Amino acid sequence: MIFSFLLFALGSSLSYGKLNVVASTPEVGWLVHRIGGERVNVRVLAPAGVNYHFAEARPDYVLALSRADVLCRVGAELEDAWLLKAVERAANSKVMEGQKGDCVLASTVDMEKPTKKLDRTQGDVHGSGNPHFYMAPLAMSNAGNSVEQALSRAAPEHAKEFAERNEKTSSLLKAIHSDGLKRLASLKDKMFLEYHKDFTYFMREYSLNSMGSIEEVPGVSPSAARLALVAKRAMDSKAVLAIASNHDPISLLLKFQQLSQVPFVQVPTSLSSPSEENSFRLWQEGIWNQMLSKLK
Ligand SMILES: [Zn+2]
């Protein structure tokens, strides 16, 4: 009896005082795990491998959000199509837009802004700037500041610990960046392009040249005329490789390759295992290796 009471007490003390944090994507979840440590329970919503612009809104997201102390998300409209309604339905004032528990990573990142005048009628999904900074380690280091601030607002008694863990995470990300620069050094005089602007920050941080994206409007499949135009430009620029996500349409990539004779590689645009410290590094290394082996 006493023993079972003790077990019960131990069980509740383990979860007692932990912040419930909902993370929109695995990359956001990884950052929250790193900075929150033992002080947080993390629930990641969108599964790895999906296109975050068009992820599925699942009913269980509402329950998770209704219990959340903090919601961490990329922002810049990335998750708007499936997350905003769930937040509304959860009716949890802590995590509503602009509230204390709303943690928007984009707010501490130097964002690539849209170059053209905003026109959502064209289907542009980057109307508030390019949200794919989570693929790049230095941008993620900056995004960590949003997480630290939000966790510290929710649990000020642990602010020092969050600051220390943020510092440690930042060092880890900077080390990954520096290793990537060395690993990809042989590619720095070559020209690349991307299918969707998933890799803009990634390529910039690793000093890779990019001639832009195959898509003309982010989120809209390129027309035959657009494919032909980019294929011509790619040949003129002597592009060596097009980088695409595993979820991008292979039929269009094959068509582009046929027109341009430029090969493509499809890589994961999500990390796996957000709770594991090493998963951001493994993800990045996997992409470096795929690029390097395609260009052997
Ligand atoms: Zn996008």
Side-chain angles (χ1 to χ4, degrees), residues 177 181 184 187-189 202-209:
H177 172 250
L181 277 178
L184 299 174
L187 306 184
K188 81 171 171 21
D189 295 323
F202 176 96
M203 289 194 280
R204 191 184 303 153
E205 285 195 10
Y206 291 127
S207 294
L208 302 174
N209 299 311

Side-chain angles (χ1 to χ4, degrees), residues 82-120:
W82 51 275
L83 185 60
L84 287 188
K85 274 220 166 68
V87 171
E88 214 172 278
R89 289 201 186 113
N92 174 356
S93 59
K94 286 189 203 170
V95 298
M96 283 179 179
E97 192 167 1
Q99 296 305 305
K100 205 172 117 179
D102 182 26
C103 160
V104 183
L105 272 57
S107 66
T108 50
V109 172
D110 185 14
M111 296 273 292
E112 185 205 33
K113 292 290 172 201
T115 46
K116 285 185 189 159
K117 197 169 174 288
L118 173 61
D119 183 5
R120 282 190 189 83

Side-chain angles (χ1 to χ4, degrees), residues 114-160:
T115 46
K116 285 185 189 159
K117 197 169 174 288
L118 173 61
D119 183 5
R120 282 190 189 83
T121 57
Q122 289 188 330
D124 186 348
V125 293
H126 291 182
S128 295
N130 182 340
H132 302 291
F133 57 80
Y134 52 83
M135 296 208 59
L138 297 182
M140 277 294 264
S141 166
N142 291 332
N145 297 329
S146 297
V147 176
E148 183 203 323
Q149 288 160 17
L151 297 182
S152 300
R153 283 195 300 270
E157 68 277 22
H158 301 308
K160 190 164 171 276

Side-chain angles (χ1 to χ4, degrees), residues 31-228:
L31 209 46
V32 175
H33 270 292
R34 303 276 67 72
I35 296 169
E38 293 299 307
R39 306 293 178 192
V40 292
N41 289 316
V42 186
R43 165 74 200 275
V44 174
L45 300 184
V50 303
N51 182 337
Y52 301 142
H53 287 297
F54 309 112
E56 189 192 351
R58 286 177 25 193
D60 59 314
Y61 293 177
V62 177
L63 183 64
L65 287 161
S66 69
R67 294 171 175 167
D69 298 301
V70 175
L71 163 63
C72 283
R73 56 194 177 98
V74 171
E77 301 182 26
L78 178 71
E79 307 100 331
D80 282 11
W82 51 275
L83 185 60
L84 287 188
K85 274 220 166 68
V87 171
E88 214 172 278
R89 289 201 186 113
N92 174 356
S93 59
K94 286 189 203 170
V95 298
M96 283 179 179
E97 192 167 1
Q99 296 305 305
K100 205 172 117 179
D102 182 26
C103 160
V104 183
L105 272 57
S107 66
T108 50
V109 172
D110 185 14
M111 296 273 292
E112 185 205 33
K113 292 290 172 201
T115 46
K116 285 185 189 159
K117 197 169 174 288
L118 173 61
D119 183 5
R120 282 190 189 83
T121 57
Q122 289 188 330
D124 186 348
V125 293
H126 291 182
S128 295
N130 182 340
H132 302 291
F133 57 80
Y134 52 83
M135 296 208 59
L138 297 182
M140 277 294 264
S141 166
N142 291 332
N145 297 329
S146 297
V147 176
E148 183 203 323
Q149 288 160 17
L151 297 182
S152 300
R153 283 195 300 270
E157 68 277 22
H158 301 308
K160 190 164 171 276
E161 183 181 333
F162 298 142
E164 284 165 6
R165 295 187 66 99
N166 184 26
E167 194 63 45
K168 197 177 150 214
T169 305
S170 175
S171 304
L172 173 77
L173 288 162
K174 284 172 183 162
I176 294 170
H177 172 250
S178 147
D179 291 348
L181 277 178
K182 284 179 216 144
R183 190 86 175 84
L184 299 174
S186 62
L187 306 184
K188 81 171 171 21
D189 295 323
K190 302 189 188 301
M191 183 58 82
F192 295 86
L193 72 165
E194 54 189 332
Y195 177 79
H196 178 76
K197 295 190 117 203
D198 278 306
F199 306 92
T200 308
Y201 297 87
F202 176 96
M203 289 194 280
R204 191 184 303 153
E205 285 195 10
Y206 291 127
S207 294
L208 302 174
N209 299 311
S210 172
M211 50 162 289
S213 60
I214 297 178
E215 284 182 341
E216 183 174 14
V217 179
V220 178
S221 293
S223 64
R226 169 72 184 176
L227 277 181

